[in-house]
Amino acid sequence: MYALGIDFGTLSGRALLVDADTGQEIADAVHPYANAVIEKCVPGTKTPLEPDTALQDPKDYLDVLRIAVPAVLAKAKVKPAQIIGIGTDFTASSPLPCFSDGTPVCFDPKLRNNPHSWVKLWKHHAAQPEADYINEIARQRGEHFATVYGGKYSSEWFFSKLLQVVHDAPEVYDAMDRWIEAADWIVWQLTGQEKRSVCAAGYKAMWVYPYGEGWAYPSPEFFRALHPKLETVYGKLSMELHQLGARAGGLTAEMAKLMGLNPGTPVAIGNVDAHAAVPACTVTSPGKLVNIMGTSTCSMVLGNGFQPVEGMCGAVANGIIPGLWGFEAGQSCVGDSFGWFVQNACPRHALGLPENADEGSVHARLVELASASKPGRSGLLALDWWNGNRSVLVDTTLSGCIFGLNLATTPAEIYRAMIESTAFGQLRIIQSFEEHGVPIDEVFACGGLAIKNDFLMQIYADVINRPISIADSKQTCALGAAMHGAVAAGYHANISVAAAKMARVREKRFEPIGANTSIYNQLYSEYCRLHDLLGRHQIPTMRTLKKLRAV
């Protein structure tokens, strides 16, 4: 029997068919989003979007169901009756406004040209002023959720983006009946039932404990303090949340026909991509850090109880594995920064490559040249804030920086320094967890960077001075989603049982090299000095430049 995992990423959606007994990946199919990340203007218009906007089209998500799912079934040559359950995962926080029947507001011709009617993708940072205001009001009122989010609520999250809608497009706020995570919206489309996940709500939407008698959103008084219109916010949310692995419902007849599956096929409560990946890396017990490494990095840790940790992205009981607290931190820009460098700042001729060399060839050549050097030899040190800092500073007004450049600096040296900077950022996150009482005994990694770039992973092992185990699956988010689908169908008793049967790690792991670690310790000390000097408001240069850019 088989489970289907559907992973909705930043640029595409993937359907993965998995053997529900062994975890063997039978077939997969990827559908690139037609509108990808909407950053310049709303589709069909020429009106420029403000800086740091990142939107998506929910039609692209439906096209994944329509195209990728039938494709994977055709590849695998399996019958619909052999699919026992469906699980989904999504980037977060990626909320959208919709009407009472689940129709996205951006599908309405009268509101389609308004950018605030579309999905605000996880990396939408234009709501930073709203995040700053939320944090100020939370401090004034002593709101408990600020502690759960490590002291700061991010512009990447649910209510920052909603407050931006209220400020900039009150007509969209008035028109919408629901403000909902895309992770929950897609489950609504599949089952015909609005059932929201405690995972997305806990990590992104201030659903924290204790409020009153238990888990809840902040009080109406807090929302009124943010904006009078938010007095009606409870009516645009769902006050009933559901645990991961629970059955959200069965596939509707309409969706079954669209996807080529049987009506009534069990569908799991929606999950967040990084959180779904944790059990797919075999991790179901405390003390283990899982890094999901791609365009950004999410750092997930399990613990036995709650501890406030500076810069974390939330802590939720049962938020990843039942019976345990799940802590989230992360880095806003990892693979994206390397991609930016290759696309915009790396001349092919300097690498001995033809000008029409593709990006893959450029990355390979940079790795070849950079690996021939040793730590510290370039004299460079970088800060990994190309898309702001998620943890531990929680500040999207910060930006990337490289120190030590001179006329002899090569592209390969810059590339290596940028990789090292992301490893230093990862060590800063690890130390923040440990400094605040959340132990980390083992480190695991998954995602495109972990699978494809041994050079990068060795640098990470050297910098954090810990062995790193790599998930065997190339698509752990989709695998984790499929595992939850199997649990929702009752095929496995819980996600820990599913992980024991369906997940595995590779035999090879990356061990730290002592001589390299010694040099990196010195570089990391300087990284921390710059991290605090430029990131904790002592020197406001980066923020000043950010403001001037928006003028």
Side-chain angles (χ1 to χ4, degrees):
M1 304 302 285
Y2 305 98
L4 179 66
I6 310 174
D7 170 39
F8 294 88
T10 299
L11 297 174
S12 63
R14 177 187 301 275
L16 175 68
L17 194 68
V18 178
D19 187 306
D21 291 301
T22 66
Q24 179 186 359
E25 296 173 11
I26 307 301
D28 72 291
V30 178
H31 176 70
Y33 300 147
N35 281 315
V37 179
I38 302 166
E39 298 173 293
K40 302 299 183 183
C41 58
V42 169
T45 76
K46 294 184 179 180
T47 304
L49 298 171
E50 67 174 302
D52 299 319
T53 293
L55 310 176
Q56 282 194 322
D57 184 352
K59 181 181 180 299
D60 286 334
Y61 309 149
L62 297 176
D63 285 343
V64 173
L65 304 179
R66 179 177 62 86
I67 296 171
V69 173
V72 81
L73 296 177
K75 278 186 184 180
K77 298 179 181 179
V78 301
K79 297 177 180 178
Q82 294 175 280
I83 311 298
I84 60 165
I86 302 168
T88 60
D89 71 82
F90 238 102
T91 64
S93 179
S94 297
L96 70 152
C98 63
F99 299 115
S100 59
D101 64 352
T103 301
V105 171
C106 65
F107 288 4
D108 184 340
K110 290 181 288 189
L111 292 168
R112 182 173 178 80
N113 291 343
N114 191 316
H116 297 286
S117 70
W118 297 67
V119 177
K120 292 190 187 298
L121 185 61
W122 65 269
K123 65 177 182 177
H124 175 87
H125 288 163
Q128 185 60 50
E130 284 72 20
D132 293 340
Y133 188 64
I134 286 171
N135 288 321
E136 178 59 30
I137 297 300
R139 279 191 291 271
Q140 292 177 10
R141 293 176 51 84
E143 293 286 343
H144 177 68
F145 76 81
T147 301
V148 175
Y149 292 111
K152 283 186 180 181
Y153 193 75
S154 170
S155 67
E156 293 185 353
W157 298 342
F158 190 83
F159 284 114
S160 299
K161 292 169 178 175
L162 178 59
L163 186 57
Q164 187 191 20
V165 175
V166 171
H167 283 162
D168 297 349
E171 67 277 18
V172 172
Y173 179 81
D174 291 340
M176 75 170 87
D177 296 305
R178 290 288 187 270
W179 179 250
I180 187 170
E181 281 288 349
D184 296 322
W185 178 82
I186 202 68
V187 170
W188 190 355
Q189 304 310 296
L190 290 167
T191 66
Q193 301 181 64
E194 182 191 0
K195 291 193 175 179
R196 303 197 188 196
S197 164
V198 70
C199 178
Y203 288 101
K204 312 299 177 185
M206 302 183 190
W207 180 269
V208 299
Y209 180 89
Y211 272 115
E213 297 302 317
W215 292 79
Y217 296 114
S219 67
E221 290 76 20
F222 168 73
F223 286 116
R224 278 198 296 270
L226 292 180
H227 196 283
K229 273 188 174 294
L230 289 177
E231 186 172 23
T232 63
V233 71
Y234 281 7
K236 298 179 188 292
L237 306 174
S238 173
M239 307 307 288
E240 181 182 353
L241 298 176
H242 302 269
Q243 299 295 328
L244 295 178
R247 187 179 186 272
L251 200 61
T252 65
E254 181 183 0
M255 275 295 170
K257 182 177 180 181
L258 181 78
M259 299 164 67
L261 295 172
N262 285 344
T265 303
V267 177
I269 291 294
N271 208 336
V272 176
D273 50 5
H275 304 68
V278 173
C281 291
T282 72
V283 173
T284 58
S285 58
K288 298 177 174 64
L289 173 76
V290 177
N291 283 319
I292 300 89
M293 304 177 67
T295 55
S296 64
T297 288
C298 290
S299 301
M300 320 300 293
V301 184
L302 301 176
N304 287 313
F306 172 71
Q307 296 287 341
V309 179
E310 182 191 17
M312 66 181 172
C313 306
V316 182
N318 308 311
I320 302 175
I321 302 295
L324 296 173
W325 282 76
F327 297 84
E328 178 187 350
Q331 295 165 271
S332 296
C333 189
V334 180
D336 267 355
S337 65
F338 313 145
W340 165 85
F341 179 66
V342 166
Q343 293 164 16
N344 299 286
C346 185
R348 270 57 170 171
H349 67 81
L351 304 176
L353 294 173
E355 290 303 315
N356 63 351
D358 61 32
E359 291 182 22
S361 299
V362 177
H363 279 289
R365 180 63 172 156
L366 286 167
V367 166
E368 178 187 353
L369 295 171
S371 60
S373 184
K374 294 182 179 180
R377 292 293 176 85
S378 68
L380 300 181
L381 179 63
L383 293 173
D384 53 316
W385 301 339
W386 255 247
N387 198 23
N389 179 283
R390 183 182 297 161
S391 299
V392 297
L393 298 172
V394 195
D395 192 342
T396 61
T397 65
L398 298 174
S399 53
C401 198
I402 303 175
F403 297 86
L405 293 165
N406 60 53
L407 295 177
T409 300
T410 68
E413 289 173 334
I414 296 174
Y415 187 74
R416 179 169 187 141
M418 291 178 70
I419 289 176
E420 291 170 344
S421 75
T422 65
F424 294 145
Q426 177 60 209
L427 180 55
R428 186 67 196 90
I429 288 170
I430 289 173
Q431 290 185 342
S432 184
F433 275 119
E434 294 188 324
E435 289 164 3
H436 293 86
V438 180
I440 294 175
D441 305 316
E442 296 183 67
V443 177
F444 295 73
C446 64
L449 290 177
I451 294 292
K452 297 175 184 177
N453 199 326
D454 286 3
F455 171 65
L456 177 145
M457 294 312 304
Q458 186 59 57
I459 287 177
Y460 270 61
D462 293 342
V463 168
I464 69 174
N465 195 24
R466 290 169 166 84
I468 303 176
S469 299
I470 308 297
D472 190 48
S473 173
K474 294 181 180 180
Q475 39 218 20
T476 47
C477 297
L479 173 59
M483 290 162 57
H484 281 88
V487 173
Y491 197 80
H492 293 306
N494 54 54
I495 195 63
S496 295
V497 172
K501 292 180 177 292
M502 299 173 68
R504 58 191 59 85
V505 295
R506 298 182 174 185
E507 289 187 14
K508 175 189 174 182
R509 67 178 188 173
F510 293 88
E511 301 283 348
I513 299 170
N516 292 348
T517 298
S518 178
I519 299 298
Y520 281 135
N521 285 342
Q522 298 178 55
L523 287 171
Y524 179 66
S525 294
E526 298 304 319
Y527 172 91
C528 289
R529 193 192 311 272
L530 293 170
H531 175 281
D532 290 347
L533 189 67
L534 294 172
R536 295 191 187 276
H537 298 276
Q538 286 94 327
I539 297 180
T541 302
M542 289 182 177
R543 296 171 186 84
T544 300
L545 294 174
K546 188 89 167 185
K547 290 178 182 177
L548 290 172
R549 178 172 175 252
V551 171

